[in-house]
Structure formats: structure tokens, C-alpha cells
Amino acid sequence: MDGGPRVPEQRRPSSAAEAAALRFSVLGPVRAWRAEEPLNTGSPQQRALLAALLLREGRTATAAELIDALWGPEPPSQALAAVRTYASRLRKVLDPGVLVSESGGYAVRGLGEGALDLATVQDLAAEAEKAKSAGDLRRARDVLNRALARWDGEPLAGVPGPYADAQRARLEEWRLQLLESRLEMDLEQGCHAEAVSELTALTAAHPLRERLRELLMLALYRSGRQAEALAVYADTRRLLAEELGVDPRPGLRELQQRILQADPALAEPSAPAAEPPAAAVRPAQLPATVPDFTGRSAFVAELSEVLASAEGRVMAVSALAGIGGVGKTTLAVHVAHQARAAFPDGQLYVDLQGAGAQAADPETVLGSFLRALGTPGSAIPDSLDDRAALYRSVLDGRRVLVLLDNARDAAQVRPLLPGTEGCAALVTSRVRMVDLAGAHLVDLDVMSPEEALQLFTRIVGEERVAAEREAALDVVAACGFLPLAIRIAASRLASRRTWTVSVLAAKLADERRRLDELQAGDLAVKATFELGYGQLEPAQARAFRLLGLADGPDISLAAAAAVLDLPAEDTEDLLEALVDTSLLESAAPGRYRFHDLVRLYARACAERDEQPPGEREAATSRLLDFYLATVAGVYASDRPGDRLVDHLEATAYPGLAFQDRHRAQDWLYAEAMCLLACVRQSTAPGLLRRAVDLLWAAVDLTESGLNSREYETTATCVRDAARAAADVRAEGRALVTLANGHHLIGRFELANEQASEAVRLSALADDPLPGCWASNMLGIIAIYHNRLEDGEAHLTRAIDSFRACGDEPGEASALCNLSRIRLSMGQTASAVRLAQQGTEMYDAMGHALKGANGRYALGLALTKAGQYEQAAERLQEALEVFRDCRMRLWEGMSLFRLAELDLAAEQPAQAATNAESALTLLRGIGGEWRRGNVLTVLGQALSRIGQSGRATVCWRDALAIFEGLGAAEAEEVRALLKAGAVA
């Protein structure tokens, strides 16, 4: 805990009252106060200078060192003059004698005790270590909690320069070390159950930090959740292998073995707590407030008053509405930070993405909130209503602030409201939520001229604005006093030292570059975008217009190259130029995104300026071709010999080629949301067939279970478009994708209807392959409905159809499915023979992924035949392939089948572990019917290892699922419950 940086030379006794009154923070935004009065620390570079001096431990920093800290190896020509200017300004703000010049450099000296938050945390960390060494763990934990509370978001937030970047990383690493030390003491004090939810959140934020994973495993194990602890190890092993290509470190492996062996030394903490139970988990999810927050004092006071009244009301709700870019989120986050003390039990935050094409699902948000509030994942129900009810129950008696940012409408917000006394909610949205009962509505307008000028000045710098005040007023007026527009214009000016404010004002004064009506809803910010767009070179302007046509959260460099019909190198140059103008954001290396308002503006420009008009359709067509050609290659890389790629629509634009299937899969899952968005926007007659084929070839997105809901929505979209266009061929193929999606999430009746219609349309369109797939699917669905003779007929027809098409992988698939029919008919020898035949066909073609499906079917047949060792080998082989291919659904189902096998082989403990792991993997995917089957097997395993209470709970849950579905399995579960009651 003493690994943090030390700054002792800055301190002196607090006899000098003036200096002692100064306070500084670096564990968040770099700020300064005199007593309680905030001091203006200037521009980002000036704050960077102050931070560098505060972190120098009182030593003198030479001018050369400061220049390197602020700008790195390529400083501007006037860097030395800038450093001297910044130092001079800081001297005027700080007390005399604090910032001193010596030996051609500068230093910060003579600060009072507690003047720097970092120094305070260092003292607290040392005090905690001392208490721990003395055996006083309770005091050590309390002191460490006080130390950790001094962090206020990202260290050195908003401070530029290589020195700040390095210090930021170091301080964050130190914070995590302190947090791990406190969590270790939590577990030593017996607070393992309370630590689980915090560790769960931390491992999600830092997935490759093995010490956090180790602590989570220990906490779960001591909470009686051994299977979940082992699942943490399995997840960690897989993640480290996928991300880094390494195995877990020895300590983690040793802990897994000790858990497997039920080591008694693990069961109890070394120092049981002699204190009351730890407080409930206190989430602190608010984003960092901006350091240059400006104005809005009336709104801040109004909202703060509403939040302050939460303690005596059932619930305080404030809904902020306004056009995009007016500063709703900035204001809400600022007010929420000011109100933190009134909500000691925590603050929750979520971006509901209401302005985007795919708004956040309340069900998913509730799951995240419940986990943040300490609810174990296994205790979170699946339905929206049940999650909302549990959420309100968990919040009962707590005082929590919930910030719901960027909401779509009141319907999205209602399930997320606390509804209990003492809690409050802040909501931001572009729409006025008049239908949100009891909400305090706030209409956020543009800034006043004074506030707008103040914001502009803080970004550009006081000297430049003071010299041209009238021009600055013209700029903010031309921006319509809209905060986003002002910030963009000011940032552009700040990054161009050769421009004057008058130059910027003159550019904005040209009405040809501005829209006549700045107050036109969400398009009010167009004037600022017009400034940047008007300065683009022709090639840059074309790129801006055409890239705005692509839906999706972002776009890769390769996809952008397809849209622009340019080489990747030229495309990258254009995109980076757009990033420099703030018209495009760099989301990650090789990926770019528009702000949603900028995207709308780009599309408006394309409609207005793109010539010839057909170029817009051509750009969309090239993007569709790129995705289809690439996805076809990904599909073929996993399925050699599969005929689907031969039946897809031809493409004029090429796709990417990958060196191995792992890279191909990485690309597919990274591009999932983008290519599904491309399918949804490509429903015009000239694009529809390719869009349907793209969705069909991207079947792994739903097979994996990772994107099932989005895939189903997209399949419904193209099915409806094909039906409206009376395109029988496209509709039949779309129905195959939709039926497959419904089948994989357990909606068997819907899947049966759509597959049957796909068979009919396939015959009408003389398009045989969709009919083959649909017949194969009908056979699988018949197994679930126990219609074995119908299933046999469907699969026999599928086998014949695949053979007629020359599709050997399809034939092998149908043979393996027919094996399952024969197994259900009691014809075990025939089932084994058919599964072996199908698996051998896959192996002969080098078909690893589909070969895993064959081994899965063979494992089932061998289990029924009592050949447990061979069955386990086949299922384990299938499991490894599914895991390697990230087929989460089939990975979970393989674990479920291994659990069934373990039960048959009289290994109930192993069966319970495999079933628990299957439940974890299948959470949210695969549908309720599959979950009911896993719960049934888990209950049987638990019953056999003496955990009859948990077994009964599992069976009751399974019975509720099966009765809700009207499934025949309900009778088997009733019998288990009855037998358990008798026992």
C-alpha cells in the first residue's frame, strides 16, 4: 500500500495561514482552492504545468523538463515562452512564494498539511499499512476506504501531455492496488458475501487483472457458491487465452485446485470480523464532471432543490429536455455530483442511447443496476417486470440517485425509476416527458450571451478573447449560444494558433455557411458543422457526406474504404483529416464514428450536394457488397465444402480475406452491430436480396447466442421488406434466418411456422437450398415437440434435398439430427451409427465447427448406449471447439449434456458443476425451454449430493418455465418434486 508517489518536500507546518489555505487536487480534475473558493487554473496546458510541478515532489523542474512534459518530443516553436506565460499566470492566482523560480526552472513549495489530495492519500495508505501490521484490520479497512474516497474520477482528468498520460496510468494502478488491499482485508474479516458484487464490477472493468479474479473466486467460495467460483476460473482461463495467449498464473490455478478439493483452510477467513456486517454496496457510477462547467446557475439551484427534497418524498424525479447539444448531460452530471452527499447509498448512471437507432433495453439496464447494487447474477430474474420489482425492493430503505441519460421516451424510463422514499432520478432526453407522472420538467434552453462567452473564453484562453471581445461575441451569437456548437468552434480556434478570433467570426458571419433557422429542433447545431464542412477539400467533403449514409455505431477503415471506393491508405488520410476538424471521432485504432447530430448533418449534405444522386445508392451498395463478400469468406473458413456460399448473390466489390479462422471470427463479432445495421438499411429492391443473403451468411451471430435479439429484429425487418416487395425468393431466405433465430432462443412454435412457410416459398421460387435448411430445422423442432415420425419425415426429405444440391455438410447435419430422432425412438444403435456417419463426413471435409455438432450428437447417442467414457470424450471435443469458436450457446449446451452424462455415470458433483456453468453461459440466450432443462438436471445433481433444498428450488423454477410453455417436460419435473417431498 506504500507504492504511491511521495511528495514530502512540498509540505511545511501550517503556521503560514495563507499558504495553508491553498488546496490542490490531482486525483481527478486538476483543481485549486483558497479555502472554499475555486481558483481559475487556466487552460489545459496551464493545468498540465501545475500538475507537473505538484507531482515533482517539491523539486525544481527545468524549463526543458516542463516542455517535454507538456508537449513531448515535438514542442511548438514558442514552447519556452508559453511555459513562462503559464507560470506567470499561475503566480498571480496562487499565494506569494508558492510557485518559485530557481535555476532556470520552477517548483511548488511551502504547501500546508493536507493541501494536496495525493499527499493525503499517501498518509492514509501508510496509516492503513501500520494498522494492518498491528492486526487492527477494521481500522485498516476504514482508513483505506477514506483514502479511496479521495479519488474523484480519472486522475489528472483533461490534462494533456505525455507526462500526464504516464502519471495517470501510474496513479490508476496505485488506486487498484489499494483497492485490492482493502478487498483482501474484507475477506479476512469475513465480509465475503458483501465483496462479491464489488469484485464482479471490478473484474468486468479490468477483465485481465488476475488478482481481482482470484479474490472474486475466494469470495464466491466462502459465500457457498463453489460452482460460480470455478466458473470464474474457467472464464479467466478462456479470456487470457483469447486475449493474451497465456494461462492463468500459478496462484490462480492453485486456488482453483483448492476449491475443487474443498480445502478446509479456504472455508473461513483468517481474522473473523468482530464488527457489524459491512454496509451495502455503494455504487458510484457518475461520469466525471467537466472541469470547465460554465453558467446554468439557475438550473443548478432548481434541480438541486428538487433533489434535496427527495428524503421526504416518495421519489423526486427531474426530467431535462432540450435539443441535442444544449448541454443536458453536462448539467445533469454536474448537479448529480453536487448532490452526492444527499445520497450516501450511491449513484447509478446509464446512457440509454435514446437518440440512436437501437435504444438501450430497460431489462438489460436493470440487470446492470442490480449487479451494481450487490445482487448476485444468479439472483437476477429474466423478465422485465420481475427485474423492476426486485430493483425497487433492493432500493427500499436506501438513498440512491439514479441518472438516466439520453432517454428515448417515458416508456423506456418508467421501469428504471426507484419509486421509493429517499431516492431520486435525473432524466435527460430530447423529448419533453409530459407523460412521466410526477416528474419535475425542466426545459433546457441555449446559454445566455454572458454564459456562452464565458465558456468560449475558458476553452480559447482569456488573452485571445480579451483582445477581440466584440469578435468573440459575434462567434457565440453565430453559434446560436448552443453549448455544443460553442465548444466545437472554440476547440477549433484553440488548436489553430495562427487564427484570430476575428477570422473565426468572419467565417461564421457568412450566411451562406449557416442555416436560416438555428432553432430547428435537433438540427440547430448545423451552423457549427457547416463551418467545418465548408473548409473541407473536395475529397474530404465527399468522404464526410458518404460516410454519414452508413448506419451502425461506428465504421471500420476497411468498410469506409468500400463506401468511398478508395484504397485503405487514401481512406485513412481522409478520415484522419475529418477527425482533425472534429467532424468525425476516432473510436479506436482503425474505427471511426460520428456524433449522432453530425451524422444527421452529413446525410443532409449528401442529399443536398452529392452529384450525381445515384452515388449515394452506389456507396450503400458497395458497403453491402463489402460486408456480404467478407461474411461469405468467414462462413466458408469454418465450413469447407458448404454450398451456401455458392448460392449467395454475386457482389461487385471485394471483401476482406483472413489468414486464419480466429481472425475471421474476431472480425465478424467486432462488426456484428454494423453489418446488422447495414442489412436493416438495405431493403430497397436493388439491395434486398444481398441484404437477406448477408444475414443468412452471418448465421454465427445468432448461433453463438451473442447477438440473438438484434439478429431476430433484423430478420423480421428483411422478411417484412421482402413480403412488401412480393419477392418470393428473398422472403423464403429471410424466413430461414428468422426461423433459425426463433429456434435458437426457444420459440419453437414460431420457428415451426416460419420454417414450414420457407419450404413452401423455396419450392415456388425454385430456390432449393432454403428448403433444405428449413426441412432440417423442422426435423429438429419436431424432436422438441416429441413429434418423432414427423421429424423423421422432415429429416429424410432434408437428406435427399441436400444430396440433390451436392451439399455434403448439409447432408451430414441432417444425418446427425436424424440420429437424435432415432435416439428418442429408442433405436440407440441406429442413432450411434447415423451420428458417426455424419461426424465422419464432417471430418473428411476438415469441417471443425460442424464436426463439433456431429460430436455433440454422437455424445448424446453414446451416453444413451451406456458408453460413458467415449461419450465424454466426444462431448469434451465438441465443447472445446465451440469454446474456441465462441459459440456460447453450444458451449453451454455441451456442458449441459456433460452434466446429463455425469448423472448417468454417478458423478453428481461434477454434474452440478457442469450444470451451473451451463446456466451461467446460457443466461439470456437459448430460451426458457433450454434453461428449464438445465435447471432440472442441476436439481437432480444437487439432490444426489445432499443439497435437497437447492434441488427443490431448481425444480420449482423449471416447473414454472415448462408450465408457462405448455411443455411436456413439466410432468417429469412434477414427479421429481413429488419424490423429493417423499424423501
Side-chain angles (χ1 to χ4, degrees), residues 345-552:
D345 296 318
Q347 305 86 39
L348 298 168
Y349 171 86
V350 65
D351 178 1
L352 294 172
Q353 303 174 32
Q358 294 290 322
D361 181 5
E363 179 179 334
T364 303
V365 175
L366 284 170
S368 176
F369 278 358
L370 285 167
R371 283 187 287 272
L373 290 165
T375 306
S378 57
I380 298 175
D382 288 333
S383 75
L384 174 62
D385 290 343
D386 288 344
R387 288 187 178 192
L390 178 59
Y391 171 65
R392 292 190 294 270
S393 298
V394 169
L395 288 178
D396 186 35
R398 299 191 190 185
R399 293 170 62 189
V400 173
L401 174 61
V402 184
L403 204 172
L404 306 173
D405 192 20
N406 194 13
R408 179 185 56 201
D409 52 30
Q412 185 189 28
V413 166
R414 287 190 191 98
L416 308 177
L417 296 178
T420 54
E421 182 177 345
C423 291
L426 272 174
V427 184
T428 74
S429 176
R430 294 189 182 184
V431 299
R432 200 165 188 268
M433 295 198 174
V434 293
D435 52 346
L436 193 60
H440 174 76
L441 302 181
V442 176
D443 293 323
L444 194 59
D445 202 350
V446 297
M447 286 181 150
S448 69
E450 293 78 15
E451 290 175 337
L453 183 61
Q454 187 180 2
L455 175 60
F456 185 80
T457 302
R458 287 192 173 185
I459 298 171
V460 172
E462 188 169 353
E463 280 190 8
R464 295 176 78 182
V465 174
E468 299 181 270
R469 180 177 173 80
E470 291 302 318
L473 287 170
D474 290 341
V475 168
V476 296
C479 289
F481 308 111
L482 193 70
L484 177 61
I486 296 166
R487 187 175 292 278
I488 294 172
S491 297
R492 285 178 54 79
L493 182 60
S495 66
R496 287 160 173 78
R497 306 303 301 179
T498 60
W499 282 16
T500 63
V501 181
S502 297
V503 169
L504 179 62
K507 293 177 180 295
L508 284 172
D510 186 351
E511 293 186 359
R512 293 171 299 175
R513 297 183 183 278
R514 292 166 50 202
L515 298 180
D516 293 331
E517 299 182 24
L518 292 175
Q519 71 276 17
D522 284 353
L523 301 181
V525 77
K526 273 189 175 181
T528 303
F529 302 146
E530 188 77 31
L531 170 64
Y533 178 67
Q535 295 174 340
L536 298 178
E537 297 294 331
Q540 295 170 352
R542 173 181 178 268
F544 176 71
R545 294 192 300 267
L546 295 183
L547 289 173
L549 300 174
D551 282 343

Side-chain angles (χ1 to χ4, degrees), residues 298-320:
F299 288 111
V300 170
E302 178 183 354
L303 292 168
S304 298
E305 182 179 352
V306 173
L307 294 182
S309 70
E311 186 173 358
R313 300 169 57 183
V314 171
M315 174 179 55
V317 180
S318 291
L320 287 73

Side-chain angles (χ1 to χ4, degrees), residues 604-899:
C605 291
E607 293 175 4
R608 181 188 67 194
D609 300 337
E610 198 60 46
Q611 298 297 331
E615 176 60 7
R616 299 198 301 271
E617 289 72 24
T620 304
S621 180
R622 287 192 297 271
L623 180 63
L624 180 59
D625 275 357
F626 165 76
Y627 280 134
L628 177 54
T630 307
V631 169
V634 174
Y635 182 93
S637 70
D638 270 336
R639 301 168 176 83
D642 195 298
R643 291 295 309 282
L644 172 61
V645 292
D646 300 326
H647 290 259
L648 300 176
E649 287 285 304
T651 57
Y653 193 92
L656 297 175
F658 301 97
Q659 295 179 355
D660 57 67
R661 64 181 180 84
H662 292 99
R663 294 187 180 182
Q665 289 168 350
D666 289 343
W667 178 89
L668 179 65
Y669 293 118
E671 293 288 336
M673 301 308 293
C674 295
L675 70 87
L676 291 175
C678 180
V679 171
R680 291 192 295 271
Q681 75 173 135
S682 302
T683 56
L687 306 174
L688 177 59
R689 289 193 173 188
R690 279 178 286 159
V692 172
D693 283 359
L694 170 56
L695 188 64
W696 193 3
V699 66
D700 283 349
L701 295 181
T702 189
E703 290 270 358
S704 68
L706 298 175
N707 302 96
S708 299
R709 183 170 297 181
E710 295 84 359
Y711 189 94
E712 177 196 352
T713 300
T714 306
T716 302
C717 173
V718 292
R719 187 274 314 271
D720 293 345
R723 189 168 291 170
D727 189 333
V728 175
R729 181 179 182 276
E731 184 181 352
R733 294 185 173 207
L735 282 168
V736 168
T737 67
L738 191 54
N740 193 42
H742 284 314
H743 154 241
L744 291 169
I745 60 176
R747 298 175 182 164
F748 302 128
E749 291 292 346
L750 280 173
N752 194 75
E753 292 174 12
Q754 286 146 1
S756 299
E757 181 65 3
V759 170
R760 187 184 72 82
L761 294 179
S762 173
L764 280 176
D766 193 22
D767 187 23
L769 193 60
C772 299
W773 278 55
S775 295
N776 196 18
M777 206 179 308
L778 287 168
I780 300 170
I781 296 166
I783 299 172
Y784 301 139
H785 287 166
N786 203 32
R787 295 183 285 103
L788 303 182
E789 292 182 359
D790 287 349
E792 188 173 33
H794 287 307
L795 290 169
T796 300
R797 182 166 58 251
I799 291 168
D800 294 340
S801 299
F802 279 123
R803 284 174 180 165
C805 290
D807 192 328
E808 289 189 47
E811 178 186 347
S813 173
L815 285 169
C816 291
N817 290 328
L818 183 58
S819 163
R820 295 182 60 185
I821 290 280
R822 297 283 169 81
L823 198 63
S824 298
M825 289 177 164
Q827 301 174 26
T828 305
S830 174
V832 171
R833 186 168 60 254
L834 285 167
Q836 286 175 332
Q837 182 183 349
T839 303
E840 289 167 1
M841 291 176 67
Y842 283 135
D843 290 347
M845 291 180 282
H847 217 313
L849 177 57
K850 298 303 288 184
N853 291 119
R855 284 166 173 74
Y856 178 90
L858 183 55
L860 299 186
L862 291 170
T863 299
K864 196 68 172 285
Q867 300 178 42
Y868 300 139
E869 185 175 348
Q870 298 94 319
E873 289 175 359
R874 299 294 83 77
L875 287 171
Q876 194 64 43
E877 290 167 356
L879 174 65
E880 293 302 323
V881 173
F882 290 139
R883 183 172 289 157
D884 183 58
C885 293
R886 284 177 281 186
M887 290 291 171
R888 184 175 155 205
L889 170 62
W890 294 111
E891 182 184 351
M893 289 304 297
S894 297
L895 286 165
F896 164 61
R897 298 304 185 182
L898 281 167

Side-chain angles (χ1 to χ4, degrees), residues 71-82:
W71 291 287
E74 297 181 7
S77 59
Q78 299 298 314
L80 180 58

Side-chain angles (χ1 to χ4, degrees), residues 262-286:
D263 185 348
L266 284 180
E268 293 297 332
S270 58
E275 59 178 309
V281 175
R282 182 183 178 274
Q285 298 182 342
L286 294 177

